[in-house]
Amino acid sequence: MRVLLPLGLDLAYDYRPPPETNLRPGDFVEVPLGTKRRIGVVWDDDADAPAADPAKLRTVHDRIALPPLPESTRRFIEWVSRYTMAPLGSVLRMAIATPGLFQAPRPVLTYALTDAEPERLTAARQRVMDLLRDGPPRTISDIAEAAAVSDGVVRGLAGQGVLEAIESDPDAGYMEPPPDPETPGPVLSAEQHAAAGALMARIGGGFAALALEGVTGSGKTEVYFEAIAEALRQGADGQVLVLVPEIALTNQLLDRFETRFGARPMVWHSHLTGRARRATWLGAASGEARVVVGARSALFLPFKALSLIVVDEEHDPAYKQEEQVIYHARDMAVVRASLMKCPIVLVSATPSLETMVNCWSGKYQRVLLPTRHGGATLPIIEPVDMRREDTPRGRWISPRLEADLRANLEAGEQSLLFLNRRGYAPAAICRACGNRVMRENCSAPLVVHRFGNRLQCHHCDFTMPMPRQCPKCGAEGTIVPYGPGVERLAEEVEALFPEARIAIMASDTVRTASEAQAFVERIEKHQIDIVIGTQLVTKGHHFPMLTLVGIIDADLGLSGGDLRAGERTYQQLWQVAGRAGRAERPGRVLVQTYMPEHPVMQALIGGDGPAFYRNEAAEREMAGWPPYGRLAALILSGVNEADVAAHARALASRAPRGADFTVMGPAPAPYARLRGRFRHRFLVRARRSVDLQGLIRGWLAQVPEKSSVRVAVDIDPYSFL
Ligand code: ADP
């Protein structure tokens, strides 16, 4: 029998089934591997696989007490492996690498009252009995704490038979009660009602892809909640998966879900405890987890029967996983839905161009919510032409923005300044020789943090104090921060408005879900006058008191020549703009730019999304870029530069040639050295009809692998660094 192990291997190994067990595909088993034991999954037989010599087979040790990995999940794992070209075992590892999954927690003993009377009734004993008479069974320590008695008192009562022990399922405590679709929801507007109807009509009808597109504040969440309610109503075992890009920021969503459905959904992300993760995993497998809200890896949960997938903020770059198995969760979610034969809804105010093109071609059904709920108007977006503004050197807030911030502050309203750069300054340079301070084994500049005190690498956890001497020319006291980060901007705001209450929202100031929640609450309670934030603030919050948004450097994302630079800038700035004036108060957005005539700025200022998409699509189509063409990147890396370069040359000499694709490279990657590894890149651009994976497989097969050089394949790359 074949057993797939969660290792970087493409093959399932052959084992002899243990006597007298009836193992079936999907079962979890423990098998010998070398001198160790490993947990793997019995995989389906493959007629093409070479038969192993039965005499040499080792025997499966044991079956693990877990529900089997369903067939639909196994097919999905195979699909993802084929598409991303990641080894099957690596994809399996993602699906089952769940801390605590294989360790059934010890059963928990809880105690309940019997009819027996204690030998002697003390006050302490009475308290215990009163507690349990009115409440559910509890653990000893729980009882002792609640009744303010020692453990010994409780044990004593148990010894006399006054309390009886009940063995309870330790996983059960982590299961949320089922959401109730009949809890009344809000009254939908006519527009929302129509949109919800369009989604609901697809539930139970097999695979369908829909794009729910609506401006921020139009009620997209309320609308997809209706689709979830319909999915819950239709079948007793229909499950729903809601993917979100940033789980740390989704508390608002979980609260709203609870208001709508009377219970919280199960959640899934890497910061959960092992037990909570195990509970969600088991709930997905048993069908008891009716709704799971999770980060991208939730796609690999062993759902019993999905009846709807929702991808919230589907344009968000966080859906692309860049490590190990390199995949795009939105795209794989569509595959998951088609394999599970259920509808999928891609939700965004600023859809990805991929989704838009699929709507235009009729592959996806487009469902629109064109207006904000409750008559709130969209913010007014105005450019600030930085070429005309007399902004002092070393400052980033133009006189125009400063005046508006002051007016807003005096009016007692909230403002947001957006700058997508963590830390104090993006680089430290030497005034004497112009050197950018880098770490020896990295070609990414070190970022200045903690108000100028430290340098930090954003690609690993390296930090160092700001050097007094230039590492290159040796000059003393010449290293200075270069450019603005949110910390430096905060300094500027403090100097301009000493009376204002300010706070920075970035991934290093707001790290966990509870920190994010606390931060959002401070904004909502108006304990902050000026919020300074990175892209973290763009994600789905309501700040009803916020009426002014200043975009410090709107051009920032446009440099660098990334094929999605324009699209990302448009999405990000439009999302930030959407934070303003959501309730009765209209919002204003000031966009500081050196190129107000750029099509992205024009589309933003004119509020003309359709023009942006048409323009962007035309450019991509002409150049054959995605989604009109296909792309794949090969990233070679290793600690020995000569080895990497030699392997790149060897691959280059075997590069395939053809009329409908081009191989570009090799070239040193923009970050030619990262975490001590030298990096070279190839880029393959092909027509959509080309079997890109086949092409690359054939190419790689011609050049013997080199153990010192890692070759990572990135199908549909989003990062070009
Ligand atoms: P989006 O997801 O499009 O940004 P939301 O669903 O978050 O929009 O809705 C924006 C705000 O308007 C939320 O506070 C939401 O509760 C409220 N809202 C939307 N639709 C309704 C409705 N029909 N009745 C009451 N409140 C609504």
Side-chain angles (χ1 to χ4, degrees), residues 186-189 192 215-222 256 373 542 582:
V187 179
L188 299 185
S189 68
Q192 290 172 338
V215 294
T216 43
S218 57
K220 295 185 293 297
T221 315
E222 303 295 346
R256 281 175 69 180
H373 176 72
H542 296 177
R582 301 193 52 156

Side-chain angles (χ1 to χ4, degrees), residues 2 4 7-12 81-82 85-90 697:
R2 302 199 323 139
L4 183 64
L7 307 170
L9 300 167
D10 234 336
L11 288 175
S81 164
R82 268 199 309 276
M85 300 183 68
L88 196 55
S90 303
R697 207 170 283 123

Side-chain angles (χ1 to χ4, degrees), residues 380-387 418 551-559 565-574 577 589-609 611-613 615-616:
I380 301 153
I381 305 181
E382 298 166 43
V384 177
D385 187 342
M386 294 300 276
R387 296 168 305 191
F418 175 72
I551 299 189
I552 297 298
D553 183 356
D555 312 333
L556 184 61
L558 289 174
S559 57
E567 180 185 348
R568 246 182 236 159
T569 300
Y570 172 79
Q571 288 162 340
Q572 199 167 59
L573 299 187
W574 185 242
V589 183
L590 293 186
V591 182
Q592 298 194 147
T593 171
Y594 283 90
M595 33 187 178
E597 65 294 326
H598 192 286
V600 169
M601 301 308 153
Q602 287 295 314
L604 277 171
I605 294 157
D608 193 351
F612 166 76
Y613 283 100
N615 197 10
E616 184 70 20

Side-chain angles (χ1 to χ4, degrees), residues 174 176 242 244 247 250-251 254 264-270 272-273 276-281 289 291-295 298 301:
Y174 288 85
E176 302 287 349
V242 181
V244 291
I247 197 84
T250 48
N251 267 316
L254 301 182
R264 284 171 94 79
M266 299 293 287
V267 290
W268 178 261
H269 57 83
S270 55
L272 292 177
T273 62
R277 286 231 258 177
R278 178 177 152 98
T280 302
W281 200 95
V291 179
V292 176
V293 172
L301 285 169

